[in-house]
Amino acid sequence: MTDYQCAMCEVRSPVETLTWCCPQCRGPWDLDFAAGPVPRNSLSGRTNSLWRYEEALPLAAADASRGPQAVSLGEGRTPLVPLTETVTAKLDFLMPTLSFKDRGAVMLAELARHLKPRRVIADSSGNAGTSIAAYCARAGLDCTVYVPATTSQKKVEQISAHGARLDIVPGGREEAALAARAAADEDGVFYASHVYNPYFLHGTKTYVYEIWEDLGGRLPETLVVPAGNGTLLLGASLAIEELHSHGLIAERPALIAVQASAVAPLAFAFRAGADDILAPAATTPTLAEGIAIPNPPRARQILTAVRATGGTILTVTEDQIRAAQLDLAGRGLFVEPTGVACWAAIGAHGLDDRTTVVPLCGAGAKTGLALRE
């Protein structure tokens, strides 16, 4: 196995130690891993899940030490559906647990299966916790998920149904994260963090590999992605750099991140030209609960990734989110409010002048309809 490494401090740690963050700065880990080129013309006969891109993944799909097949629920390979002449939606809400978080959760569960911890813990506003719970169930791993008291009841029920223990934390998303991080310091605990553990990002990058495969070895001019903790955006950035470095794409698409205007520390920092967020955002209520992150630990990386592609960070209002959800539902696609943020940005900011792909990240059944006030 490879090592974790801290981009800020250059500290390294073997993955097997279960150290969940840099011991010096308490920042998130990166991974010392070099992806190989994925042979697009050889993919047709491979497994119909994200494990088909095995050359690009830090865990192999087949390994004698873990059995003939990695943990899987058939995640990935979600369809592309045109919304306009230039804008296409990728239906990532058609995942096993109804959100894109399955892309990263399967990697963390497979890693935990290899490491054999005493227990697995995670924190989430709902979707990541659901994914971790489901994949831990698939892998036969003991799991506890910390969620804020404001989490959608439907997501709480789904986490419980997968057999995970729930720890409902008073307060918001940040309080749940702090509680999980305290538990993560215990011996024998694997922190399946979709924020701190880089294996999650190497799972979410398959979102872009699938677009590249399905568009015949190319990418659109723009990729619009939601940004709270930035796990999809940073995975997309990894894939773009890997594909470009191997000569599999000629041009890098622009990465455009979208935040809810109610909680938008990344957008504020981007507009100010800052390298990091200037201050944690106020925890203002928003329909887009999945991206309402006041103080994202990977903020520096997110801002760097967006700027490196000539992209930008935009915001959408609550009314724009409501309107976008109803608009998509009228097109036959019922998506949760967080998952429609990118489609809201297309209309609000006129992003339909170039070929673009937007993710529809979570199913509407998870939260219901965002009714007008």
Side-chain angles (χ1 to χ4, degrees):
M1 302 193 78
T2 189
D3 285 349
Y4 292 134
Q5 61 183 19
C6 177
M8 296 293 293
C9 307
E10 299 185 358
V11 171
R12 300 175 70 93
S13 177
V15 171
E16 293 87 346
T17 64
L18 301 180
T19 306
W20 64 269
C21 70
C22 172
Q24 186 164 311
C25 71
R26 301 291 282 183
W29 288 123
D30 288 336
L31 199 61
D32 183 12
F33 169 73
V38 173
R40 186 173 61 85
N41 293 335
S42 301
L43 292 174
S44 60
R46 294 190 179 185
T47 183
N48 198 34
S49 76
L50 61 75
W51 291 109
R52 68 198 282 109
Y53 309 112
E54 58 184 353
E55 291 86 356
L57 298 175
L59 291 169
D63 187 316
S65 68
R66 299 193 300 280
Q69 185 176 356
V71 173
S72 181
L73 290 167
E75 60 290 323
R77 306 300 296 132
T78 56
L80 292 168
V81 174
L83 296 177
T84 71
E85 290 185 2
T86 56
V87 180
T88 300
K90 187 161 174 60
L91 309 192
D92 257 27
F93 67 87
L94 298 180
M95 290 282 198
T97 76
L98 308 182
S99 94
F100 87 95
K101 296 289 176 63
D102 291 358
R103 294 186 183 277
V106 66
M107 297 295 292
L108 294 183
E110 178 64 9
L111 177 59
R113 186 166 73 124
H114 177 81
L115 297 176
K116 298 179 174 60
R118 176 170 55 85
R119 67 176 179 133
V120 176
I121 66 167
D123 61 277
S124 171
S125 60
N127 283 337
T130 295
S131 291
I132 297 297
Y135 281 91
C136 281
R138 183 71 169 177
L141 297 165
D142 183 88
C143 179
T144 300
V145 180
Y146 294 78
V147 299
T150 54
T151 300
S152 161
Q153 186 58 34
K154 293 180 181 180
K155 293 178 182 178
V156 169
E157 291 171 0
Q158 192 178 2
I159 292 169
S160 295
H162 290 308
R165 284 189 293 274
L166 268 168
D167 195 319
I168 299 176
V169 180
R173 183 66 184 84
E174 195 70 10
E175 286 74 20
L178 291 172
R181 291 168 199 166
D185 287 326
E186 299 174 9
D187 290 338
V189 171
F190 175 72
Y191 184 21
S193 172
H194 58 293
V195 182
Y196 280 80
N197 194 301
Y199 279 85
F200 194 94
L201 306 181
H202 284 273
T204 61
K205 76 182 180 185
T206 60
Y207 170 84
V208 168
Y209 274 94
E210 288 177 16
I211 295 172
W212 167 77
E213 180 184 358
D214 290 343
L215 293 183
R218 61 183 178 85
L219 291 176
E221 295 169 280
T222 304
L223 290 169
V224 183
V225 290
N229 277 310
T231 55
L232 183 55
L233 184 145
L234 291 172
S237 176
L238 280 172
I240 289 168
E241 291 307 311
E242 290 169 2
L243 289 167
H244 190 265
S245 68
H246 292 304
L248 297 174
I249 55 171
E251 301 290 336
R252 298 177 179 88
L255 278 172
I256 296 180
V258 180
Q259 296 207 282
S261 57
V263 185
L266 295 166
F268 188 78
F270 185 87
R271 292 167 191 159
D275 294 331
D276 203 345
I277 64 167
L278 303 178
T283 53
T284 306
T286 175
L287 295 166
E289 61 181 9
I291 53 174
I293 309 299
N295 189 17
R298 293 188 185 269
R300 281 182 172 271
Q301 291 174 291
I302 295 166
L303 291 163
T304 298
V306 170
R307 289 184 174 122
T309 65
T312 189
I313 303 180
L314 304 172
T315 61
V316 289
T317 67
E318 301 300 291
D319 283 344
Q320 288 165 345
I321 291 170
R322 291 188 185 96
Q325 188 188 35
L326 289 171
D327 180 74
L328 284 173
R331 298 167 185 258
L333 300 167
F334 187 34
V335 184
E336 68 175 343
T338 299
V340 307
C342 293
W343 179 237
I346 295 291
H349 297 280
L351 302 178
D352 57 355
D353 59 337
R354 299 196 296 172
T355 57
T356 301
V357 173
V358 299
L360 304 184
C361 297
K366 283 176 170 280
T367 55
L369 190 65
L371 298 175
R372 293 188 179 276
E373 296 177 345

